mmCIF file of all heavy atoms in Angstrom:
data_model
loop_
_atom_site.group_PDB
_atom_site.id
_atom_site.type_symbol
_atom_site.label_atom_id
_atom_site.label_comp_id
_atom_site.label_asym_id
_atom_site.label_seq_id
_atom_site.Cartn_x
_atom_site.Cartn_y
_atom_site.Cartn_z
ATOM 1 N N MET A 30 -11.846 1.688 2.403
ATOM 2 C CA MET A 30 -12.512 0.625 1.615
ATOM 3 C C MET A 30 -13.156 -0.432 2.497
ATOM 4 O O MET A 30 -14.214 -0.957 2.132
ATOM 5 C CB MET A 30 -11.489 0.014 0.643
ATOM 6 C CG MET A 30 -11.131 0.936 -0.501
ATOM 7 S SD MET A 30 -10.078 0.110 -1.782
ATOM 8 C CE MET A 30 -8.496 0.050 -0.922
ATOM 9 N N GLU A 31 -12.520 -0.748 3.602
ATOM 10 C CA GLU A 31 -13.162 -1.679 4.559
ATOM 11 C C GLU A 31 -14.489 -1.106 5.032
ATOM 12 O O GLU A 31 -15.482 -1.837 5.167
ATOM 13 C CB GLU A 31 -12.249 -1.932 5.737
ATOM 14 C CG GLU A 31 -11.012 -2.780 5.393
ATOM 15 C CD GLU A 31 -10.036 -2.931 6.511
ATOM 16 O OE1 GLU A 31 -10.076 -2.057 7.429
ATOM 17 O OE2 GLU A 31 -9.235 -3.866 6.508
ATOM 18 N N GLY A 32 -14.525 0.194 5.285
ATOM 19 C CA GLY A 32 -15.761 0.840 5.684
ATOM 20 C C GLY A 32 -16.843 0.778 4.576
ATOM 21 O O GLY A 32 -18.013 0.512 4.859
ATOM 22 N N VAL A 33 -16.410 1.026 3.328
ATOM 23 C CA VAL A 33 -17.368 0.912 2.219
ATOM 24 C C VAL A 33 -17.959 -0.513 2.166
ATOM 25 O O VAL A 33 -19.169 -0.666 2.007
ATOM 26 C CB VAL A 33 -16.674 1.226 0.873
ATOM 27 C CG1 VAL A 33 -17.610 0.969 -0.302
ATOM 28 C CG2 VAL A 33 -16.216 2.692 0.842
ATOM 29 N N ALA A 34 -17.102 -1.528 2.324
ATOM 30 C CA ALA A 34 -17.556 -2.896 2.320
ATOM 31 C C ALA A 34 -18.573 -3.141 3.434
ATOM 32 O O ALA A 34 -19.618 -3.776 3.218
ATOM 33 C CB ALA A 34 -16.360 -3.861 2.440
ATOM 34 N N GLU A 35 -18.276 -2.664 4.617
ATOM 35 C CA GLU A 35 -19.190 -2.858 5.749
ATOM 36 C C GLU A 35 -20.535 -2.162 5.499
ATOM 37 O O GLU A 35 -21.595 -2.736 5.762
ATOM 38 C CB GLU A 35 -18.568 -2.315 7.035
ATOM 39 C CG GLU A 35 -17.351 -3.108 7.511
ATOM 40 C CD GLU A 35 -16.594 -2.386 8.608
ATOM 41 O OE1 GLU A 35 -17.049 -1.322 9.086
ATOM 42 O OE2 GLU A 35 -15.530 -2.903 9.044
ATOM 43 N N GLY A 36 -20.465 -0.910 4.988
ATOM 44 C CA GLY A 36 -21.703 -0.166 4.763
ATOM 45 C C GLY A 36 -22.551 -0.766 3.646
ATOM 46 O O GLY A 36 -23.798 -0.681 3.722
ATOM 47 N N ALA A 37 -21.920 -1.334 2.676
ATOM 48 C CA ALA A 37 -22.659 -1.895 1.507
ATOM 49 C C ALA A 37 -22.998 -3.386 1.689
ATOM 50 O O ALA A 37 -23.783 -3.925 0.927
ATOM 51 C CB ALA A 37 -21.861 -1.713 0.223
ATOM 52 N N GLY A 38 -22.381 -4.029 2.710
ATOM 53 C CA GLY A 38 -22.634 -5.464 2.918
ATOM 54 C C GLY A 38 -21.892 -6.325 1.963
ATOM 55 O O GLY A 38 -22.406 -7.361 1.522
ATOM 56 N N LEU A 39 -20.657 -5.925 1.604
ATOM 57 C CA LEU A 39 -19.840 -6.699 0.668
ATOM 58 C C LEU A 39 -18.556 -7.126 1.378
ATOM 59 O O LEU A 39 -18.265 -6.746 2.508
ATOM 60 C CB LEU A 39 -19.484 -5.820 -0.513
ATOM 61 C CG LEU A 39 -20.615 -5.424 -1.493
ATOM 62 C CD1 LEU A 39 -20.133 -4.353 -2.478
ATOM 63 C CD2 LEU A 39 -21.112 -6.642 -2.230
ATOM 64 N N THR A 40 -17.758 -7.942 0.677
ATOM 65 C CA THR A 40 -16.432 -8.263 1.209
ATOM 66 C C THR A 40 -15.443 -7.165 0.827
ATOM 67 O O THR A 40 -15.684 -6.400 -0.112
ATOM 68 C CB THR A 40 -15.918 -9.571 0.626
ATOM 69 O OG1 THR A 40 -15.567 -9.406 -0.753
ATOM 70 C CG2 THR A 40 -16.919 -10.703 0.764
ATOM 71 N N PHE A 41 -14.332 -7.086 1.545
ATOM 72 C CA PHE A 41 -13.320 -6.097 1.232
ATOM 73 C C PHE A 41 -12.789 -6.291 -0.191
ATOM 74 O O PHE A 41 -12.580 -5.307 -0.926
ATOM 75 C CB PHE A 41 -12.158 -6.198 2.205
ATOM 76 C CG PHE A 41 -10.982 -5.385 1.792
ATOM 77 C CD1 PHE A 41 -10.956 -3.988 1.958
ATOM 78 C CD2 PHE A 41 -9.845 -5.985 1.238
ATOM 79 C CE1 PHE A 41 -9.884 -3.237 1.546
ATOM 80 C CE2 PHE A 41 -8.739 -5.246 0.871
ATOM 81 C CZ PHE A 41 -8.758 -3.835 0.997
ATOM 82 N N LEU A 42 -12.627 -7.538 -0.646
ATOM 83 C CA LEU A 42 -12.095 -7.768 -2.002
ATOM 84 C C LEU A 42 -13.065 -7.311 -3.096
ATOM 85 O O LEU A 42 -12.656 -6.882 -4.158
ATOM 86 C CB LEU A 42 -11.746 -9.240 -2.186
ATOM 87 C CG LEU A 42 -10.496 -9.722 -1.423
ATOM 88 C CD1 LEU A 42 -10.295 -11.203 -1.692
ATOM 89 C CD2 LEU A 42 -9.282 -8.909 -1.800
ATOM 90 N N ASP A 43 -14.390 -7.340 -2.796
ATOM 91 C CA ASP A 43 -15.335 -6.773 -3.751
ATOM 92 C C ASP A 43 -15.086 -5.292 -3.948
ATOM 93 O O ASP A 43 -15.091 -4.776 -5.080
ATOM 94 C CB ASP A 43 -16.774 -6.946 -3.203
ATOM 95 C CG ASP A 43 -17.274 -8.355 -3.342
ATOM 96 O OD1 ASP A 43 -17.049 -9.017 -4.374
ATOM 97 O OD2 ASP A 43 -17.942 -8.860 -2.359
ATOM 98 N N VAL A 44 -14.846 -4.567 -2.862
ATOM 99 C CA VAL A 44 -14.608 -3.142 -2.926
ATOM 100 C C VAL A 44 -13.233 -2.848 -3.527
ATOM 101 O O VAL A 44 -13.032 -1.899 -4.271
ATOM 102 C CB VAL A 44 -14.791 -2.480 -1.555
ATOM 103 C CG1 VAL A 44 -14.466 -1.001 -1.620
ATOM 104 C CG2 VAL A 44 -16.230 -2.660 -1.075
ATOM 105 N N LEU A 45 -12.250 -3.684 -3.197
ATOM 106 C CA LEU A 45 -10.937 -3.510 -3.822
ATOM 107 C C LEU A 45 -11.007 -3.680 -5.323
ATOM 108 O O LEU A 45 -10.357 -2.955 -6.085
ATOM 109 C CB LEU A 45 -9.948 -4.500 -3.203
ATOM 110 C CG LEU A 45 -8.484 -4.375 -3.681
ATOM 111 C CD1 LEU A 45 -7.914 -2.999 -3.359
ATOM 112 C CD2 LEU A 45 -7.593 -5.491 -3.108
ATOM 113 N N TYR A 46 -11.878 -4.615 -5.771
ATOM 114 C CA TYR A 46 -12.082 -4.751 -7.220
ATOM 115 C C TYR A 46 -12.607 -3.446 -7.789
ATOM 116 O O TYR A 46 -12.105 -3.004 -8.877
ATOM 117 C CB TYR A 46 -13.091 -5.885 -7.499
ATOM 118 C CG TYR A 46 -13.645 -5.776 -8.903
ATOM 119 C CD1 TYR A 46 -12.906 -6.154 -10.009
ATOM 120 C CD2 TYR A 46 -14.914 -5.170 -9.129
ATOM 121 C CE1 TYR A 46 -13.404 -5.975 -11.287
ATOM 122 C CE2 TYR A 46 -15.404 -4.982 -10.403
ATOM 123 C CZ TYR A 46 -14.640 -5.401 -11.499
ATOM 124 O OH TYR A 46 -15.111 -5.213 -12.753
ATOM 125 N N LEU A 47 -13.582 -2.816 -7.190
ATOM 126 C CA LEU A 47 -14.136 -1.581 -7.727
ATOM 127 C C LEU A 47 -13.074 -0.512 -7.851
ATOM 128 O O LEU A 47 -13.146 0.325 -8.752
ATOM 129 C CB LEU A 47 -15.267 -1.082 -6.815
ATOM 130 C CG LEU A 47 -16.523 -1.965 -6.752
ATOM 131 C CD1 LEU A 47 -17.517 -1.386 -5.754
ATOM 132 C CD2 LEU A 47 -17.173 -2.070 -8.124
ATOM 133 N N ASN A 48 -12.081 -0.534 -6.991
ATOM 134 C CA ASN A 48 -11.022 0.483 -6.994
ATOM 135 C C ASN A 48 -9.819 0.118 -7.834
ATOM 136 O O ASN A 48 -8.881 0.923 -7.942
ATOM 137 C CB ASN A 48 -10.594 0.773 -5.540
ATOM 138 C CG ASN A 48 -11.577 1.640 -4.804
ATOM 139 O OD1 ASN A 48 -11.479 2.844 -4.857
ATOM 140 N ND2 ASN A 48 -12.538 1.024 -4.136
ATOM 141 N N THR A 49 -9.849 -1.059 -8.458
ATOM 142 C CA THR A 49 -8.738 -1.492 -9.311
ATOM 143 C C THR A 49 -9.200 -1.956 -10.673
ATOM 144 O O THR A 49 -8.399 -2.465 -11.464
ATOM 145 C CB THR A 49 -7.926 -2.620 -8.615
ATOM 146 O OG1 THR A 49 -8.768 -3.728 -8.351
ATOM 147 C CG2 THR A 49 -7.314 -2.126 -7.331
ATOM 148 N N ARG A 50 -10.471 -1.830 -10.985
ATOM 149 C CA ARG A 50 -11.008 -2.393 -12.204
ATOM 150 C C ARG A 50 -10.383 -1.844 -13.478
ATOM 151 O O ARG A 50 -10.243 -2.554 -14.480
ATOM 152 C CB ARG A 50 -12.540 -2.238 -12.261
ATOM 153 C CG ARG A 50 -13.052 -0.857 -12.009
ATOM 154 C CD ARG A 50 -14.581 -0.832 -11.929
ATOM 155 N NE ARG A 50 -15.044 0.151 -10.998
ATOM 156 C CZ ARG A 50 -16.338 0.449 -10.813
ATOM 157 N NH1 ARG A 50 -17.265 -0.191 -11.529
ATOM 158 N NH2 ARG A 50 -16.698 1.377 -9.951
ATOM 159 N N TYR A 51 -9.969 -0.560 -13.461
ATOM 160 C CA TYR A 51 -9.333 0.021 -14.649
ATOM 161 C C TYR A 51 -7.977 -0.654 -14.897
ATOM 162 O O TYR A 51 -7.485 -0.666 -16.006
ATOM 163 C CB TYR A 51 -9.102 1.513 -14.443
ATOM 164 C CG TYR A 51 -10.300 2.224 -13.902
ATOM 165 C CD1 TYR A 51 -10.333 2.703 -12.580
ATOM 166 C CD2 TYR A 51 -11.447 2.407 -14.679
ATOM 167 C CE1 TYR A 51 -11.423 3.319 -12.081
ATOM 168 C CE2 TYR A 51 -12.586 3.020 -14.157
ATOM 169 C CZ TYR A 51 -12.553 3.462 -12.844
ATOM 170 O OH TYR A 51 -13.661 4.056 -12.355
ATOM 171 N N ASP A 52 -7.358 -1.178 -13.856
ATOM 172 C CA ASP A 52 -6.041 -1.722 -13.938
ATOM 173 C C ASP A 52 -6.065 -3.239 -14.237
ATOM 174 O O ASP A 52 -5.058 -3.842 -14.456
ATOM 175 C CB ASP A 52 -5.274 -1.477 -12.646
ATOM 176 C CG ASP A 52 -5.473 -0.019 -12.221
ATOM 177 O OD1 ASP A 52 -4.902 0.861 -12.870
ATOM 178 O OD2 ASP A 52 -6.185 0.241 -11.238
ATOM 179 N N LEU A 53 -7.285 -3.784 -14.253
ATOM 180 C CA LEU A 53 -7.495 -5.192 -14.548
ATOM 181 C C LEU A 53 -7.923 -5.454 -15.983
ATOM 182 O O LEU A 53 -7.902 -6.562 -16.458
ATOM 183 C CB LEU A 53 -8.532 -5.816 -13.618
ATOM 184 C CG LEU A 53 -8.113 -5.867 -12.115
ATOM 185 C CD1 LEU A 53 -9.341 -6.075 -11.252
ATOM 186 C CD2 LEU A 53 -7.133 -6.987 -11.930
ATOM 187 N N GLY A 54 -8.300 -4.410 -16.695
ATOM 188 C CA GLY A 54 -8.745 -4.568 -18.094
ATOM 189 C C GLY A 54 -8.906 -3.216 -18.713
ATOM 190 O O GLY A 54 -8.927 -2.178 -18.092
ATOM 191 N N SER A 55 -9.025 -3.205 -20.059
ATOM 192 C CA SER A 55 -9.093 -1.976 -20.804
ATOM 193 C C SER A 55 -10.520 -1.406 -20.764
ATOM 194 O O SER A 55 -11.472 -2.079 -21.051
ATOM 195 C CB SER A 55 -8.689 -2.225 -22.258
ATOM 196 O OG SER A 55 -8.852 -1.091 -23.050
ATOM 197 N N LEU A 56 -10.606 -0.130 -20.412
ATOM 198 C CA LEU A 56 -11.888 0.620 -20.416
ATOM 199 C C LEU A 56 -11.640 1.854 -21.250
ATOM 200 O O LEU A 56 -11.263 2.902 -20.732
ATOM 201 C CB LEU A 56 -12.329 0.973 -19.007
ATOM 202 C CG LEU A 56 -12.668 -0.191 -18.084
ATOM 203 C CD1 LEU A 56 -12.949 0.301 -16.675
ATOM 204 C CD2 LEU A 56 -13.903 -0.917 -18.611
ATOM 205 N N PRO A 57 -11.872 1.789 -22.583
ATOM 206 C CA PRO A 57 -11.509 2.915 -23.430
ATOM 207 C C PRO A 57 -12.258 4.192 -23.094
ATOM 208 O O PRO A 57 -13.435 4.157 -22.698
ATOM 209 C CB PRO A 57 -11.924 2.433 -24.835
ATOM 210 C CG PRO A 57 -11.974 0.955 -24.705
ATOM 211 C CD PRO A 57 -12.400 0.656 -23.330
ATOM 212 N N ASP A 58 -11.561 5.325 -23.153
ATOM 213 C CA ASP A 58 -12.230 6.598 -23.084
ATOM 214 C C ASP A 58 -11.469 7.568 -24.014
ATOM 215 O O ASP A 58 -10.429 7.232 -24.601
ATOM 216 C CB ASP A 58 -12.333 7.119 -21.670
ATOM 217 C CG ASP A 58 -11.012 7.475 -21.026
ATOM 218 O OD1 ASP A 58 -10.094 7.935 -21.728
ATOM 219 O OD2 ASP A 58 -10.897 7.345 -19.787
ATOM 220 N N GLY A 59 -12.050 8.780 -24.170
ATOM 221 C CA GLY A 59 -11.420 9.754 -25.094
ATOM 222 C C GLY A 59 -11.409 11.140 -24.479
ATOM 223 O O GLY A 59 -11.733 12.112 -25.125
ATOM 224 N N CYS A 60 -11.026 11.214 -23.224
ATOM 225 C CA CYS A 60 -11.063 12.456 -22.466
ATOM 226 C C CYS A 60 -10.114 13.527 -22.962
ATOM 227 O O CYS A 60 -9.062 13.226 -23.550
ATOM 228 C CB CYS A 60 -10.793 12.184 -20.983
ATOM 229 S SG CYS A 60 -11.840 10.898 -20.267
ATOM 230 N N THR A 61 -10.458 14.770 -22.707
ATOM 231 C CA THR A 61 -9.590 15.921 -23.008
ATOM 232 C C THR A 61 -9.440 16.742 -21.728
ATOM 233 O O THR A 61 -10.451 17.169 -21.151
ATOM 234 C CB THR A 61 -10.207 16.811 -24.116
ATOM 235 O OG1 THR A 61 -10.743 15.991 -25.158
ATOM 236 C CG2 THR A 61 -9.151 17.731 -24.671
ATOM 237 N N SER A 62 -8.184 16.951 -21.280
ATOM 238 C CA SER A 62 -7.949 17.657 -20.022
ATOM 239 C C SER A 62 -7.126 18.918 -20.267
ATOM 240 O O SER A 62 -6.497 19.085 -21.341
ATOM 241 C CB SER A 62 -7.245 16.750 -19.012
ATOM 242 O OG SER A 62 -5.979 16.351 -19.525
ATOM 243 N N PHE A 63 -7.109 19.802 -19.264
ATOM 244 C CA PHE A 63 -6.380 21.058 -19.363
ATOM 245 C C PHE A 63 -5.975 21.544 -17.997
ATOM 246 O O PHE A 63 -6.534 21.166 -16.958
ATOM 247 C CB PHE A 63 -7.225 22.130 -20.032
ATOM 248 C CG PHE A 63 -8.336 22.633 -19.161
ATOM 249 C CD1 PHE A 63 -8.154 23.717 -18.345
ATOM 250 C CD2 PHE A 63 -9.581 22.027 -19.161
ATOM 251 C CE1 PHE A 63 -9.155 24.213 -17.514
ATOM 252 C CE2 PHE A 63 -10.587 22.472 -18.315
ATOM 253 C CZ PHE A 63 -10.390 23.590 -17.502
ATOM 254 N N ALA A 64 -5.005 22.446 -17.947
ATOM 255 C CA ALA A 64 -4.644 23.200 -16.731
ATOM 256 C C ALA A 64 -4.166 24.587 -17.128
ATOM 257 O O ALA A 64 -3.441 24.725 -18.125
ATOM 258 C CB ALA A 64 -3.604 22.460 -15.948
#
């Protein structure tokens, strides 16, 4: 993630937000999975 931030020109916390946004608020979906 530090590398992503460097490559995109953002702070590390900006990229950490992108990787935790589902856990910070509800993002409804209706997926169907199988194995």
Side-chain angles (χ1 to χ4, degrees):
M30 287 187 286
E31 287 173 341
V33 173
E35 292 170 4
L39 293 169
T40 71
F41 170 76
L42 289 179
D43 286 318
V44 176
L45 184 61
Y46 162 77
L47 293 175
N48 283 272
T49 58
R50 50 186 147 175
Y51 315 108
D52 313 291
L53 292 164
S55 176
L56 295 174
D58 67 34
C60 306
T61 317
S62 62
F63 72 91

